Amino acid sequence: MLAVGLSTTGWATRASADTVTPLNASQIVADMGAGWNLGNSLEASSNGYPSETAWNNPTVTQAQIDRVRAAGFKTIRIPVSYLNAIGSAPNYTIDAAWLNRIQQVVDYAYNRGMYVVINMHGDGYKSVGGSWLICDAADQTTIKAKYQKVWQQIATRFQAYDQRLILESMNENFDGQYGNPTQPCYSNINSYNQIFVDTVRQAGGNNNSRWLLVPGWNTNIDYTAGDYGFVIPTDNHRSSSIPSNEQRLMISVHYYSPWDFAGEENGTITQWGRARPMRRRSPPGGRRTTWTPS
């Protein structure tokens, strides 16, 4: 059941930890089912500021999310950029209108019973104006203080939401050079993840038992699962109701192989993998990728 009331910000509060049975890892993965990514909307930006329609997507609506849910998706990931919507030191206050809009879009899905993942997205991209979460920048002390304050505000805003809201620390953070990870950049990414976990856990409400999602270098599966320096954060501030041998952490990885099928936008390659023996019609010649795993 949802305990509904009015918060000091005017938004409806959400179920408390006492009214929702926590799900373990296998249970929550099964319950989340298939997911859909709301790309190029809340992470879009213009001149260093978040701008929902800057990349030619329409404004997100309840009707749009309802269509996603009707298509069978149970989970939606909402990438979010903050950039220059973050104020100056020492408080680094997020623009209230922007935080309200993020919550409104979250509620489009959450209030329909969906799982929702929100993150910090373009703030770590060197190619984006206003980015600042740069792992090889000189002043890491300032970056980490800002990162902590921003996540403290986000987690506090969503503290009453139950386990159907999952927070993701960042997206594809790396030094901008494609190749093997470098130090100390990877160590800084690990530090960001640890700050994120510690900050969210201590932000009150359901955050002490919430599932948290953390990536490795460039959110790359090989550089996260391989021996390149990824460190899983400690989770020492989680609720005492969580079994001592169970953390509430998920690992985020991206996998784009084969690129000609998963990443190219020209539509030339439409098939990959083994052809089905019972296929009645084969795809047009030359449209199946020749990629094979290494």
Side-chain angles (χ1 to χ4, degrees):
M1 294 180 62
L2 292 180
V4 179
L6 189 66
S7 71
T8 56
T9 59
W11 298 92
T13 60
R14 298 303 186 268
S16 71
D18 295 331
T19 62
V20 177
T21 302
L23 301 179
N24 63 31
S26 59
Q27 290 170 331
I28 197 166
V29 168
D31 202 42
M32 289 174 71
W36 184 82
N37 189 70
L38 179 63
N40 300 323
S41 291
L42 297 194
E43 88 273 31
S45 62
S46 177
N47 298 318
Y49 287 86
S51 179
E52 186 173 343
T53 59
W55 295 351
N56 299 316
N57 266 6
T59 300
V60 181
T61 64
Q62 182 68 71
Q64 177 186 3
I65 302 306
D66 287 348
R67 288 194 294 271
V68 172
R69 182 173 178 268
F73 294 101
K74 297 180 65 178
T75 298
I76 183 169
R77 178 176 180 261
I78 305 173
V80 180
S81 292
Y82 298 86
L83 306 170
N84 289 330
I86 302 169
S88 59
N91 294 326
Y92 298 109
T93 303
I94 303 170
D95 178 78
W98 183 236
L99 194 54
N100 288 345
R101 176 56 179 161
I102 295 165
Q103 186 172 11
Q104 184 177 44
V105 175
V106 167
D107 284 348
Y108 290 159
Y110 184 90
N111 289 344
R112 294 294 197 255
M114 300 177 74
Y115 283 88
V116 183
V117 180
I118 58 172
N119 71 358
M120 180 181 289
H121 205 83
D123 296 66
Y125 292 178
K126 290 183 177 181
S127 59
V128 171
S131 62
W132 54 274
L133 189 67
I134 307 301
C135 66
D136 59 349
D139 191 358
Q140 288 296 313
T141 299
T142 297
I143 288 173
K144 291 171 183 177
K146 184 175 182 177
Y147 185 69
Q148 190 275 331
K149 287 292 188 181
V150 173
W151 269 115
Q152 185 178 55
Q153 294 169 74
I154 301 166
T156 299
R157 171 61 68 98
F158 290 102
Q159 64 178 248
Y161 288 61
D162 68 22
Q163 62 195 323
R164 286 188 293 107
L165 178 71
I166 296 168
L167 304 180
E168 181 183 23
S169 63
M170 62 191 121
N171 182 78
E172 296 186 353
N173 197 298
F174 71 123
D175 63 2
Q177 303 299 315
Y178 292 96
N180 287 347
T182 59
Q183 294 292 348
C185 196
Y186 211 148
S187 293
N188 288 328
I189 291 171
N190 290 330
S191 294
Y192 302 158
N193 280 331
Q194 189 63 65
I195 291 168
F196 163 76
V197 172
D198 291 342
T199 299
V200 173
R201 285 286 182 251
Q202 297 176 87
N206 292 330
N207 288 310
N208 64 2
S209 59
R210 184 177 313 288
W211 283 94
L212 304 178
L213 187 58
V214 294
W217 180 274
N218 201 19
T219 320
N220 179 285
I221 188 171
D222 295 320
Y223 296 145
T224 302
D227 187 18
Y228 292 94
F230 175 66
V231 176
I232 298 174
T234 60
D235 194 9
N236 296 330
H237 301 286
R238 65 189 181 278
S239 169
S240 59
S241 66
I242 305 302
S244 59
N245 63 343
E246 182 178 314
Q247 299 187 64
R248 281 288 192 271
L249 300 178
M250 298 175 173
I251 308 301
S252 179
V253 293
H254 295 172
Y255 191 68
Y256 296 122
S257 297
W259 180 253
D260 56 4
F261 173 78
E264 292 287 353
E265 299 179 357
N266 56 25
T268 301
I269 301 297
T270 62
Q271 303 287 326
W272 79 289
R274 295 180 179 177
R276 297 179 185 176
M278 298 300 292
R279 187 186 297 275
R280 293 182 179 179
R281 292 194 307 169
S282 299
R287 302 192 72 178
R288 182 179 298 278
T289 182
T290 59
W291 177 89
T292 56
S294 57

